[in-house]
Amino acid sequence: GEKLVPSLVAKEYQEHFKEIMIDEYQDSNYIQESILTSVSTVSQGKPNIFMVGDVKQSIYRFRLSRPELFMEKYDSYSLEDAKEQRVDLSKNFRSRTEVLDSTNFVFKQIMTKSFGGITYDDNAALYVGASYEEMPNNETEVCIVDAADMPDGENKRELEALAVAAKIRKLVASHQVFDKRTGEYRKASYRDIVVLTRSLKGWTDVFLKVFKQEDIPAYSASREGYFQTREIQMLLDYLRVLDNPLQDIPLVSVLVSPFGMITDEELAQIKSERDEKYFYKKVVSYVECGSNEVLKEKLVQFMKRYEGFRNQIPYTAIHVLLWKIMEETGYRNYITAMPAGEQRAANLEMLIEKAVAFESTSYKGLFHFVRYIEQLQKYDVDYGEANIVDETSDVVRVMSIHKSKGLEFPIVFVVGMNKLFNLQETRNSVVLHSELGAGMDFVDIENRVKYPSLLKKLIQSEIEKESVAEELRVLYVAMTRAKEKLILTGVVSNLENVLKKYRSLDNHGEYQLPYTRIAKAKKYFDWILPALYRNKVFDGIRDAYDIDGCPWNDFYNLEIPMKADLLRVDDLVEEKEKELLEE
């Protein structure tokens, strides 16, 4: 019926397992929950599951994680001795007071039960558990670059990277960090610094280029993003074609790659001589009766290997299939011989590792693996290239926020705070929701128009709300990676106009920001700037634009370990010119 009942096999496992312990429980999905509940003795009235997690760090919607599973237990479990007991672990043993207090200050204003999954109150706040000496200049910084006077065509990301580079030089010159190995404070080095960005694509290359120009040693596990590297793209296209050869773009990509060695002229011959709908059928037809014998021989060899691999799919594990493809076609040798071959070969090995990890889940087979990779690409989740830099290398690391989860760094820059959220999922022709179902456009054949149905609009609204709520949690993960120093940066096209929109907050007496302002955010600065606007730390920026305000007194005078810096394009240019003259 409506209720899940443990199967006979599950009941056998109930007798086998004494305890079930689940880490990162906030990232569980319904399938995982059903399986683990079934093999536990919960159905016998004997709870034997221990779960650890933090709903504020649930950032895996693309894996269908459902933070409400966590909150259901958070709300229903007792703090007293009981069969189902909740234990709150509120102390943070990673970060300085400055990092925790500034994080609490921001999230008490923007994270609510209906938006983010939990009300960020005193129970949800972070309390210091680490022991650090009091040191100067550890307050959290918010660096805003006003690009109002920026010439057209200038790259705003380069401008932000330039601002970050300037701060890195100052930190390395004078900032002190605690060294766990020696138990003493020392001058900060490049290895102590990480630059976090929401997605690697379009950001990593810019920052690495600017850092190189500024003589700052830097490294990223990916310059274009793992899935955008040439060696991975070619191999994934080969997998797509093995899964379904009637895909013209992946097939042509594979044919012109080392797998096929077909030239553009030969592609044109195949297309022009054969009258078939799909390019794959043109290839098959050309093998049988094509006019170019050299081309025919190339295609015969390609098809022979292709059909051999395709026949192995039903009984071969994906990671084994990948090894066979690379070894039998010579693809791995080809990639290793290319420039940066060591890195490229490491990327291929990393894909095999991911295939092994994928096959340890409930999903199997090439079809599901290809769809899984496509979902990762769709939601801008990137593994980053395989790491071939030693942990002791003295370089600034650039990585995605997702990649940084679970890690910690003495000094953290979170960049791209004014980058728009990726809400592409809401713009699909068909939108899907786990509870509301499927929403589609209504097609009016008579009037030859189409428009979204009411259900589709409802689902789009709900997906957007869930996506933006997850971005809130992503921001939380980013800010809590810092051990000693946190710096948030972003470029705003016209800061003065943005600040004028916050005037309504001057008389807003509630600690939390208005719900509409929280829910309608399109970028991280839409939360950070209003959160700071009502406090005296923002006085300097307000004064810079002659914006008079009547801040709410109690909130205005609240002491917080944060400061807001304003940089204009001319400031950065002048500082750079000054450095060049000194050199």
Side-chain angles (χ1 to χ4, degrees):
E2 296 282 325
K3 191 176 179 182
L4 285 171
V5 179
S7 65
L8 291 175
V9 174
K11 288 178 180 177
E12 287 182 25
Y13 276 114
Q14 288 177 8
E15 301 302 318
H16 179 73
F17 294 125
K18 188 172 182 180
E19 293 179 352
I20 296 171
M21 310 180 84
I22 311 171
D23 195 15
E24 302 288 358
Y25 183 64
Q26 76 278 353
D27 295 325
S28 290
N29 59 43
Y30 287 129
I31 294 176
Q32 292 166 330
E33 178 77 356
S34 299
I35 294 170
L36 293 172
T37 303
S38 295
V39 299
S40 76
T41 53
V42 170
S43 60
Q44 301 177 29
K46 305 174 191 174
N48 65 334
I49 301 183
F50 180 83
M51 295 149 283
V52 178
D54 179 2
V55 74
K56 301 186 295 296
Q57 297 191 51
S58 179
I59 59 172
Y60 291 106
R61 278 186 72 245
F62 69 94
R63 293 181 186 165
L64 304 181
S65 65
R66 305 303 301 185
E68 53 265 37
L69 287 170
F70 182 100
M71 289 310 302
E72 177 189 342
K73 294 173 178 61
Y74 181 87
D75 293 333
S76 61
Y77 281 24
S78 172
L79 286 169
E80 307 298 330
D81 287 340
K83 277 188 175 181
E84 296 177 331
Q85 185 178 349
R86 187 180 106 206
V87 180
D88 288 348
L89 305 173
S90 57
K91 282 198 173 182
N92 177 292
F93 294 90
R94 168 190 295 146
S95 307
R96 275 187 174 273
T97 302
E98 292 89 340
V99 173
L100 301 183
D101 286 353
S102 57
T103 301
N104 289 337
F105 170 77
V106 170
F107 280 88
K108 280 184 177 181
Q109 296 183 66
I110 62 177
M111 185 172 276
T112 67
K113 174 80 172 175
S114 58
F115 200 82
I118 190 171
T119 299
Y120 203 100
D121 53 17
D122 290 340
N123 291 325
L126 297 166
Y127 297 92
V128 67
S131 177
Y132 286 102
E133 286 183 25
E134 195 169 318
M135 300 284 285
N137 303 319
N138 275 306
E139 68 270 33
T140 293
E141 297 181 34
V142 178
C143 178
I144 312 163
V145 182
D146 187 353
D149 301 323
M150 192 171 185
D152 292 338
E154 291 288 331
N155 189 330
K156 291 183 173 65
R157 292 176 187 177
E158 286 189 12
L159 190 67
E160 185 171 351
L162 197 61
V164 171
K167 284 195 172 290
I168 288 175
R169 282 197 300 272
K170 291 176 182 176
L171 288 167
V172 171
S174 60
H175 198 74
Q176 296 282 312
V177 298
F178 181 73
D179 193 321
K180 273 187 178 180
R181 290 172 297 180
T182 63
E184 297 178 350
Y185 284 85
R186 58 168 172 78
K187 195 160 69 169
S189 58
Y190 293 117
R191 72 170 65 90
D192 298 315
I193 302 171
V194 67
V195 176
L196 301 182
T197 178
R198 180 62 178 87
S199 63
L200 293 171
K201 188 177 180 181
W203 288 83
T204 310
D205 273 357
V206 172
F207 272 77
L208 291 181
K209 182 183 79 171
V210 171
F211 286 170
K212 184 177 180 180
Q213 292 170 352
E214 299 297 307
D215 291 326
I216 294 174
Y219 169 78
S220 172
S222 177
R223 292 174 179 264
E224 287 292 339
Y226 180 73
F227 296 117
Q228 277 67 50
T229 57
R230 185 181 176 192
E231 62 275 10
I232 295 300
Q233 278 189 327
M234 286 191 289
L235 192 51
L236 289 176
D237 278 335
Y238 199 82
L239 292 182
R240 291 186 181 100
V241 175
L242 284 175
D243 176 48
N244 177 10
L246 303 182
Q247 300 181 82
D248 287 356
I249 294 176
L251 177 59
V252 170
S253 172
V254 168
L255 286 173
V256 299
S257 76
F259 293 114
M261 302 298 288
I262 306 296
T263 67
D264 291 344
E265 183 179 346
E266 289 170 336
L267 280 179
Q269 278 186 272
I270 298 170
K271 182 171 178 59
S272 61
E273 289 190 23
R274 313 262 59 94
D275 187 19
E276 302 284 353
K277 181 179 180 181
Y278 295 104
F279 204 84
Y280 174 75
K281 292 187 176 179
K282 292 178 185 288
V283 170
V284 173
S285 179
Y286 201 95
V287 168
E288 294 174 355
C289 50
S291 60
N292 185 332
E293 293 299 324
V294 175
L295 174 56
K296 277 178 65 175
E297 182 57 28
K298 283 185 182 180
L299 294 177
V300 166
Q301 294 302 319
F302 173 83
M303 291 301 296
K304 183 179 178 180
R305 284 193 298 265
Y306 169 81
E307 289 170 359
F309 293 134
R310 189 165 165 81
N311 290 335
Q312 296 177 46
I313 290 174
Y315 57 86
T316 306
I318 302 303
H319 69 281
V320 174
L321 184 65
L322 284 168
W323 266 119
K324 287 187 174 184
I325 291 170
M326 289 191 290
E327 294 301 318
E328 292 181 22
T329 63
Y331 182 70
R332 192 179 188 282
N333 293 336
Y334 175 89
I335 289 300
T336 306
M338 291 176 67
E342 182 185 1
Q343 176 68 68
R344 295 179 189 275
N347 288 340
L348 295 178
E349 290 168 10
M350 184 176 172
L351 185 64
I352 291 173
E353 291 172 10
K354 296 302 177 184
V356 172
F358 171 80
E359 289 183 312
S360 68
T361 68
S362 57
Y363 292 96
K364 305 292 180 189
L366 181 61
F367 173 83
H368 290 296
F369 182 69
V370 169
R371 297 302 173 275
Y372 171 70
I373 296 296
E374 288 174 350
Q375 285 293 99
L376 292 178
Q377 293 176 284
K378 176 181 177 182
Y379 290 104
D380 281 343
V381 176
D382 209 314
Y383 295 130
E385 290 187 61
N387 191 353
I388 59 172
V389 171
D390 187 85
E391 285 300 313
T392 60
S393 300
D394 191 20
V395 295
V396 175
R397 284 166 172 76
V398 182
M399 66 173 64
S400 69
I401 297 172
H402 272 87
K403 185 75 173 177
S404 75
K405 190 170 183 285
L407 304 178
E408 57 184 43
F409 309 91
I411 302 170
V412 171
F413 285 84
V414 187
V415 303
M417 299 296 287
N418 214 45
K419 175 185 178 294
L420 289 172
F421 298 148
N422 181 4
L423 300 176
Q424 187 63 39
E425 187 182 4
T426 63
R427 303 185 186 101
N428 293 338
S429 56
V430 178
V431 290
L432 304 172
H433 191 271
S434 60
E435 295 176 5
L436 300 175
M440 292 167 276
D441 292 328
F442 175 78
V443 180
D444 187 336
I445 297 174
E446 186 176 334
N447 294 310
R448 301 174 68 82
V449 295
K450 71 174 181 179
Y451 48 85
S453 63
L454 182 61
L455 177 59
K456 181 178 182 180
K457 296 291 285 184
L458 176 64
I459 293 174
Q460 285 175 320
S461 176
E462 191 62 24
I463 290 174
E464 181 171 341
K465 177 185 173 184
E466 291 178 3
S467 298
V468 177
E470 175 147 298
E471 292 294 343
L472 190 66
R473 298 191 291 269
V474 171
L475 176 62
Y476 177 84
V477 168
M479 290 179 66
T480 52
R481 296 310 94 200
K483 292 166 65 177
E484 301 189 48
K485 179 78 173 177
L486 173 64
I487 303 170
L488 312 174
T489 71
V491 178
V492 182
S493 293
N494 195 324
L495 184 59
E496 183 174 6
N497 289 342
V498 172
L499 296 181
K500 287 177 180 177
K501 296 176 183 177
Y502 298 155
R503 282 176 170 170
S504 61
L505 297 172
D506 290 339
N507 299 316
H508 181 72
E510 298 293 327
Y511 199 102
Q512 283 186 342
L513 291 172
Y515 176 81
T516 51
R517 189 169 291 280
I518 298 171
K520 295 298 181 184
K522 302 297 182 188
K523 39 196 179 290
Y524 294 136
F525 262 170
D526 287 348
W527 291 316
I528 298 293
L529 298 187
L532 287 174
Y533 179 86
R534 296 179 291 164
N535 190 270
K536 58 187 177 184
V537 300
F538 221 73
D539 280 352
I541 295 179
R542 243 193 316 263
D543 293 344
Y545 295 100
D546 295 323
I547 296 176
D548 296 325
C550 302
W552 174 38
N553 289 336
D554 292 342
F555 196 88
Y556 175 77
N557 290 313
L558 192 66
E559 294 291 336
I560 57 170
M562 298 183 77
K563 70 176 184 178
D565 290 333
L566 171 65
L567 287 172
R568 291 189 170 95
V569 176
D570 290 344
D571 298 332
L572 285 169
V573 172
E574 287 174 10
E575 185 173 343
K576 182 62 181 172
E577 289 175 348
K578 182 180 177 182
E579 288 176 6
L580 291 172
L581 286 172
E582 288 175 354
E583 289 177 7

